[in-house]
Amino acid sequence: MTAIKVHGFSMAYDDTGGALPPLVLLHGFPLDRTLWAVQVRDLAEVARVIAPDLRGLGESGLPGGAVTLDDYADDARALLDALGIKTAVIAGLSMGGYIAFAFYRKYAHRVRALILADTRAGEDSAEGKRGRDANIALAQTQGVSAVAENMFPKMLTPQTVSQNVTLASATRGMMNRQSVAGVVAALAAMRDRLDATPLLAEITVPTLILVGAEDAVTPPSQAELMRDAIRGSRLVTLAGAAHLSNLDQPAEFNQAVREFLRTVA
Ligand code: MLT
């Protein structure tokens, strides 16, 4: 693990280094950079893979005060600055995708291409916002595991859970070990995020959209909306995958990313 000081906290990240084109992987909620362990390992032959822990999650610190999606995007930009990287392919899964939109809104000139995995452009509905508040209260009164256990059934397919016990328990462990403060901050940041739908028509960089065919959190219909609105984008729907499609179908996920990176190079 490597860490740097950005914006008053220590940001942990993996970096495969080298001179290949940079690919930044932004994880989802309530997760950390170990979500990307297989991508960091297998994509290192085609990219310099950089996977940070977002502030408050994984091994990254949490400075005081509320957190916005712009803060996460600013942290990613600060990491690029610290590593001397001008432009990168920005990839995000779910909440990581929301951050990729925030990053593009502020720093489009730093984005070589976008990869949007199991995410959506729209903001939370009124009901969705109430759900965030309920989850904040749940985390504060019963701990992160109460939130994690409610979400876990939607993360991986039932097949993965029954056939890959090691992966299922590692994923559950990743969710359960997050801190209350980091989880509460992320829930509030997602609740208050801007609608990225108007941004879609302004995206001019090559864009790959990935979605698990069985994703019930950010379903294929959301991915199709993004595909229809982002000019020239490509959508890959992964069979046998739920919300964490990179874990359910790592080989197919990585193959789609590899092919996309070849077209971007
Ligand atoms: C995620 O996987 O990052 C979250 O479930 C996304 C969300 O809750 O909107």
Side-chain angles (χ1 to χ4, degrees):
M1 191 266 283
T2 320
I4 55 158
K5 193 98 173 161
V6 294
H7 300 147
F9 73 97
S10 166
M11 185 179 211
Y13 65 99
D14 292 319
D15 178 6
T16 59
L20 290 165
L23 166 67
V24 176
L25 301 175
L26 302 172
H27 63 77
F29 168 90
L31 306 168
D32 58 39
R33 72 188 196 281
T34 63
L35 170 74
W36 299 114
V38 174
Q39 282 67 44
V40 170
R41 186 192 67 202
D42 292 355
L43 296 174
E45 63 197 35
V46 291
R48 172 178 180 179
V49 190
I50 298 157
D53 278 336
L54 300 170
R55 62 165 76 187
L57 298 165
E59 295 177 281
S60 284
L62 182 67
V67 176
T68 65
L69 288 183
D70 276 358
D71 290 327
Y72 294 128
D74 290 346
D75 297 341
R77 198 227 55 225
L79 179 59
L80 290 185
D81 290 348
L83 298 176
I85 293 171
K86 286 205 171 64
T87 66
V89 177
I90 304 293
L93 185 141
S94 202
M95 182 174 81
Y98 309 159
I99 298 165
F101 286 131
F103 191 98
Y104 192 86
R105 199 180 281 116
K106 291 188 84 170
Y107 309 115
H109 60 289
R110 308 287 297 265
V111 182
R112 176 76 192 85
L114 281 173
I115 301 177
L116 304 168
D118 300 282
T119 192
R120 63 183 157 179
E123 63 191 331
D124 279 359
S125 62
E127 189 193 346
K129 286 181 198 287
R130 281 194 295 274
R132 301 291 187 198
D133 290 336
N135 269 331
I136 288 172
L138 192 62
Q140 286 168 333
T141 55
Q142 292 177 42
V144 167
S145 62
V147 176
E149 289 307 313
N150 284 346
M151 290 182 69
F152 182 72
K154 290 187 178 162
M155 291 286 159
L156 302 167
T157 65
Q159 287 83 345
T160 299
V161 173
S162 64
Q163 288 164 18
N164 195 339
V165 176
T166 310
L167 175 65
S169 100
T171 305
R172 196 176 225 141
M174 189 191 337
M175 297 170 78
N176 275 288
R177 70 170 170 255
Q178 304 308 323
S179 70
V180 172
V183 161
V184 165
L187 283 165
M190 288 193 287
R191 177 196 61 202
D192 298 338
R193 74 185 187 279
L194 295 176
D195 182 6
T197 313
L199 183 73
L200 300 178
E202 291 168 29
I203 294 176
T204 54
V205 296
T207 301
L208 171 67
I209 301 160
L210 291 153
V211 68
E214 299 173 41
D215 185 348
V217 180
T218 49
S221 56
Q222 294 292 330
E224 285 156 17
L225 285 177
M226 295 191 290
R227 189 260 331 265
D228 292 346
I230 303 176
R231 238 184 335 269
S233 63
R234 172 152 193 262
L235 169 61
V236 175
T237 304
L238 298 163
H243 189 49
L244 304 184
S245 63
N246 68 313
L247 297 184
D248 271 320
Q249 297 297 336
E252 289 74 9
F253 187 101
N254 290 354
Q255 189 51 27
V257 171
R258 246 185 239 112
E259 279 169 21
F260 175 67
L261 292 179
R262 218 173 284 136
T263 66
V264 168

